[in-house]
Amino acid sequence: MKYNEILNKVDSELGLNDTQQAEVIVTGTLELIGQRLAGQEPSNLASQLPQELKETLTRHTGSAETFDVDEFLRRLADHEGSGVDPERAREHAQTTFRVIGSFVSGGELEDVRDQLPAGYAPLFA
């Protein structure tokens, strides 16, 4: 899998016609989920992704943060900027996880979901 394939697929599914915005969405989503996951899980997921996304996912060091899904979406909306609200950020995160899920093993994405509270489940639907 290639970095551009992921960006192009997110771009296409969201109808953005802007791969730079798709990049902001993907990197923001993965950076936040990397902050939320504990132990080796960020590295485990990163090992199945293109090099360009590995550092984004594993940038956070130290203990996992414990913010809920609403805070995740607020942070993602803030990261994206330009008037993106948490509801739009939810759509972006769902698309990102769906696309990433098509490139990584099902077991790995299940490991990610298992570490998160139930409120995160709709992001992986």
Side-chain angles (χ1 to χ4, degrees), residues 17-57:
N17 296 316
D18 184 349
T19 54
Q20 289 180 330
Q21 183 61 27
E23 182 176 38
V24 169
I25 291 166
V26 170
T27 58
T29 300
L30 291 179
E31 183 172 354
L32 283 169
I33 209 66
Q35 292 171 12
R36 187 64 180 76
L37 297 173
Q40 292 300 309
E41 200 52 48
S43 295
N44 293 345
L45 179 57
S47 73
Q48 295 187 29
L49 296 175
Q51 187 62 41
E52 295 90 340
L53 294 174
K54 291 179 187 215
E55 195 273 328
T56 299
L57 192 55

Side-chain angles (χ1 to χ4, degrees), residues 91-107:
E91 179 185 355
H92 294 171
Q94 288 170 327
T95 300
T96 298
F97 289 128
R98 184 173 45 255
V99 169
I100 293 297
S102 70
F103 287 101
V104 302
S105 71

Side-chain angles (χ1 to χ4, degrees), residues 9-17 25 88 91-92 95-96:
K9 193 160 182 170
V10 168
D11 179 42
S12 174
E13 287 193 22
L14 290 172
L16 300 172
N17 296 316
I25 291 166
R88 183 79 171 138
E91 179 185 355
H92 294 171
T95 300
T96 298

Side-chain angles (χ1 to χ4, degrees), residues 41 104-116 124:
E41 200 52 48
V104 302
S105 71
E108 185 53 46
L109 211 52
E110 189 65 33
D111 289 347
V112 169
R113 285 190 297 252
D114 286 348
Q115 273 204 22
L116 301 169
F124 294 90

